[in-house]
Amino acid sequence: MEAEGTGKRIGLLQFDGTANPQNYAAVEVLSSSGNLREAAANLFRALRRLDALSLDKIVARPVREEGLGRAIMDRLRRCSARD
């Protein structure tokens, strides 16, 4: 996806396969089956792959904050925090 009128390339990190991938320059799905354990195991690998593409921005869709979902969201918040 190119941010409207800016020419910026945007990547998407999502929990399952529900978004329209054609709207993004790159898409990483944490768990196609919606499994939180699988999503947690794939989180950092997916972030590294998106980061390696030199995208202008990465959008992360939230997961439900229960069980491992709470830990996933904590990690996403920490990596998105600006110093």
Side-chain angles (χ1 to χ4, degrees):
M1 172 182 195
E2 192 175 282
E4 291 183 31
T6 65
K8 292 187 177 186
R9 295 178 50 224
I10 300 175
L12 174 65
L13 178 70
Q14 65 178 18
F15 175 55
D16 56 24
T18 58
N20 296 323
Q22 67 272 15
N23 294 335
Y24 297 90
V27 176
E28 285 288 333
V29 177
L30 296 177
S31 173
S32 58
S33 66
N35 181 292
L36 283 171
R37 185 176 301 270
E38 180 183 16
N42 292 328
L43 178 63
F44 290 108
R45 195 176 12 223
L47 285 170
R48 281 193 298 272
R49 282 193 298 261
L50 287 170
D51 189 48
L53 297 173
S54 299
L55 299 165
D56 297 300
K57 184 179 199 177
I58 298 171
V59 175
R61 304 269 173 155
V63 300
R64 59 186 185 278
E65 293 196 47
E66 49 191 51
L68 282 172
R70 189 173 302 137
I72 292 169
M73 289 304 297
D74 176 67
R75 296 300 176 246
L76 289 173
R77 285 185 187 101
R78 289 173 188 248
C79 74
S80 69
R82 295 181 185 213
D83 295 330

